[in-house]
Amino acid sequence: MGKRRVPDLYRAPFPLYSIKVDPKTGLVITAGGGGASKTGIKNAVHFLDLQLVGEHQYSATLLHTHDTDTRATMNMAVGNGVIAAGQDGTCSLMRFKHCTQKEEGKASATDGGNSVQHGNARRRAGKGDKSGRDEAAASGDSSDMKDKTTHISVTALAEVQSDLNPQDPLQKVVRFSPDLSLLLTGGTDGHIRVWEFPSLKKRFDFKAHEGEIEDLDISPENKHLVTIGRDFSCSIWSGNQLAMCLKWLETMPQISQKTYRYMSCRFGKVEDHKDALRLYTVQIPHKRDRKPPPCYLTKWDGKSFLPMLTTSCGTEVISSMAVSDTGTFLGLGTVTGSVAIYIAFSLQKLYYVQESHGIVVTDLAFLPNSLKGKSIKGNNETAMLSVAVDSRVQAHAVPNRSTSCIIIIQRTQKCLLVFSADWVSSGGRLGTMVRTSLLLHASRHWGSFSACFVVVFVVLPPRLVRRGTFPVVCPH
């Protein structure tokens, strides 16, 4: 752990604010821009092709650039071939298709028929789409080219007004529900707006927080909505009715009220437990001191919403969070450009690169187990993509450890000691304590060691070690 260089997977000609991975098409979609200011910095959505190189590394090539005119995409959600992009105070919906050159004309004609007015949504004229050829030529990198027969078609569907702040309207967050039946947005006016999808008929519009909405997420089966605002609160909603407010400080009584505020929230599955659900939240200091206080990561029961575990995640202010599809891993990005991956079960840090990006990490996305039906993880336990204002896309991979060894030392009928081989070989206080304990037991009973102790080496898959699940071993 510590400072080390992560190679850039891709570099755009503008700041990046969002990244998503579409498992159906295998596309990596990233977006951003310079906004309405006339600085010459473009606003666009880039479609990338991701490939596994060897067992641990990745490469990406630009397939297509979709110009978004004078509006930068600050956040987005992707579902069933549709992008919901937050641009100023509106949510713009675009349909994309991955097709060959011959199919492109038919796909465009078909998509064009979908650009009609829905409910309170107004149609937006499509902007010019540019192929990856133009973008690669502009950057002077001819290697960012894919097969010429591969094309991405993008068609504007509609847009909805997602923020009504009279001074500076801005959509802060957008989500599709897991079943893609709802589209949810939050913005600087503190309102949550929920549309039925794809009809875009507005279902709810309610004031959730005083001030800006920071984040939101919706549980499977659309039962609960979690929202975070700048007003120090994290609220649980059933429809548009407030069910409860989370109180993470009950587990940390030494911390004063209103010294921390919630920053991010995500629901996550529990591996091998189909009916279980977890909610993860990040709390950051409301004000920065000369000696920076730590940020905190909390795991909640996703049904009772009782806190299960809270841990410090360092003094760098967290700017973004992601949860893997399986719920096994959490990803965190910071305002100083660092990237970390945590084990969801124990909230232990598994991977960390200090200042991997040069500035704020704006979004994270874990790779699914497969893209277009093909394995994409390689010989990695997990892999995650990150983007930042420095225009870079990076891939962070955690190599797969083939086995883990648990050393179980049992003194007949009296005690049972369980050590991980990683602990025995680790540095620091933990490793020293474990090695000292092993030596003391061995030196005291060396003469009759075979009679008093049974030493068992158990080879376990890393998945069981991550979750803290060990088989029961009964030596005879």
Side-chain angles (χ1 to χ4, degrees), residues 302-444:
K303 296 185 177 180
S304 67
F305 297 103
L306 294 175
M308 300 177 67
L309 182 62
T310 295
T311 187
S312 168
C313 48
T315 58
E316 296 175 275
V317 178
I318 305 301
S319 58
S320 55
M321 179 172 69
V323 179
S324 65
D325 291 346
T326 60
T328 309
F329 301 100
L330 308 176
L332 296 179
T334 74
V335 297
T336 50
S338 300
V339 176
I341 297 175
Y342 285 72
I343 299 171
F345 174 82
S346 60
L347 300 187
Q348 291 181 324
K349 189 184 293 182
L350 181 66
Y351 170 98
Y352 174 69
V353 181
Q354 185 177 359
E355 298 177 7
S356 182
H357 291 274
I359 199 169
V360 183
V361 176
T362 49
D363 202 9
L364 303 166
F366 278 96
L367 295 183
N369 289 334
S370 62
L371 290 178
K372 292 193 298 184
K374 297 181 180 179
S375 176
I376 194 66
K377 287 203 310 184
N379 193 24
N380 296 314
E381 286 192 64
T382 189
M384 182 179 73
L385 305 180
S386 64
V387 293
V389 182
D390 62 3
S391 308
R392 292 175 167 89
V393 180
Q394 293 182 347
H396 306 269
V398 178
N400 208 355
R401 294 172 295 173
S402 57
T403 59
S404 295
C405 181
I406 302 299
I407 303 174
I408 300 177
I409 298 183
Q410 183 178 14
R411 186 177 181 182
T412 306
Q413 299 178 348
K414 287 191 176 181
C415 66
L416 177 66
L417 304 177
V418 181
F419 300 116
S420 164
D422 294 336
W423 298 349
V424 177
S425 60
S426 66
R429 184 176 300 177
L430 177 61
T432 302
M433 290 174 59
V434 172
R435 286 191 293 271
T436 302
S437 179
L438 288 173
L439 288 173
L440 283 174
H441 280 284
S443 61
R444 289 174 183 172

Side-chain angles (χ1 to χ4, degrees), residues 155-433:
T155 306
L157 294 179
E159 69 177 30
V160 292
Q161 193 72 30
S162 54
D163 189 75
L164 297 177
N165 188 325
Q167 296 180 344
D168 188 15
L170 180 66
Q171 177 180 297
K172 296 289 295 291
V173 58
V174 59
R175 294 274 186 274
F176 282 114
S177 62
D179 62 359
L180 300 178
S181 66
L182 299 174
L183 175 69
L184 306 95
T185 65
T188 58
D189 63 358
H191 278 246
I192 296 294
R193 294 176 174 88
V194 181
W195 286 271
E196 297 176 2
F197 183 79
S199 68
L200 295 182
K201 178 183 177 181
K202 187 181 287 187
R203 179 179 289 189
F204 297 123
D205 184 344
F206 59 95
K207 181 81 169 180
H209 295 276
E210 296 298 329
E212 299 181 3
I213 302 292
E214 284 286 3
D215 203 3
L216 66 84
D217 204 8
I218 188 168
S219 66
E221 301 178 359
N222 305 339
K223 187 175 181 180
H224 290 109
L225 170 65
V226 181
T227 64
I228 287 177
R230 283 261 182 168
D231 56 1
F232 301 94
S233 64
C234 180
S235 303
I236 310 296
W237 304 82
S238 180
N240 61 350
Q241 299 300 311
L242 180 63
M244 63 183 298
C245 291
L246 299 186
K247 299 183 182 299
W248 80 281
L249 283 177
E250 290 182 353
T251 63
M252 307 287 286
Q254 71 276 18
I255 298 178
S256 303
Q257 293 285 338
K258 293 194 174 182
T259 55
Y260 280 80
R261 63 181 178 87
Y262 293 94
M263 176 65 190
S264 299
C265 59
R266 290 291 183 278
F267 281 103
K269 298 178 181 178
V270 180
E271 193 174 16
D272 295 338
H273 291 272
K274 183 180 179 181
D275 297 328
L277 185 66
R278 298 290 180 261
L279 173 69
Y280 302 93
T281 62
V282 167
Q283 295 81 233
I284 64 173
H286 178 55
K287 294 181 179 179
R288 299 297 286 170
D289 297 330
R290 181 172 297 179
K291 183 180 180 181
C295 297
Y296 289 95
L297 177 62
T298 300
K299 178 172 69 172
W300 310 76
D301 185 288
K303 296 185 177 180
S304 67
F305 297 103
L306 294 175
M308 300 177 67
L309 182 62
T310 295
T311 187
S312 168
C313 48
T315 58
E316 296 175 275
V317 178
I318 305 301
S319 58
S320 55
M321 179 172 69
V323 179
S324 65
D325 291 346
T326 60
T328 309
F329 301 100
L330 308 176
L332 296 179
T334 74
V335 297
T336 50
S338 300
V339 176
I341 297 175
Y342 285 72
I343 299 171
F345 174 82
S346 60
L347 300 187
Q348 291 181 324
K349 189 184 293 182
L350 181 66
Y351 170 98
Y352 174 69
V353 181
Q354 185 177 359
E355 298 177 7
S356 182
H357 291 274
I359 199 169
V360 183
V361 176
T362 49
D363 202 9
L364 303 166
F366 278 96
L367 295 183
N369 289 334
S370 62
L371 290 178
K372 292 193 298 184
K374 297 181 180 179
S375 176
I376 194 66
K377 287 203 310 184
N379 193 24
N380 296 314
E381 286 192 64
T382 189
M384 182 179 73
L385 305 180
S386 64
V387 293
V389 182
D390 62 3
S391 308
R392 292 175 167 89
V393 180
Q394 293 182 347
H396 306 269
V398 178
N400 208 355
R401 294 172 295 173
S402 57
T403 59
S404 295
C405 181
I406 302 299
I407 303 174
I408 300 177
I409 298 183
Q410 183 178 14
R411 186 177 181 182
T412 306
Q413 299 178 348
K414 287 191 176 181
C415 66
L416 177 66
L417 304 177
V418 181
F419 300 116
S420 164
D422 294 336
W423 298 349
V424 177
S425 60
S426 66
R429 184 176 300 177
L430 177 61
T432 302
M433 290 174 59

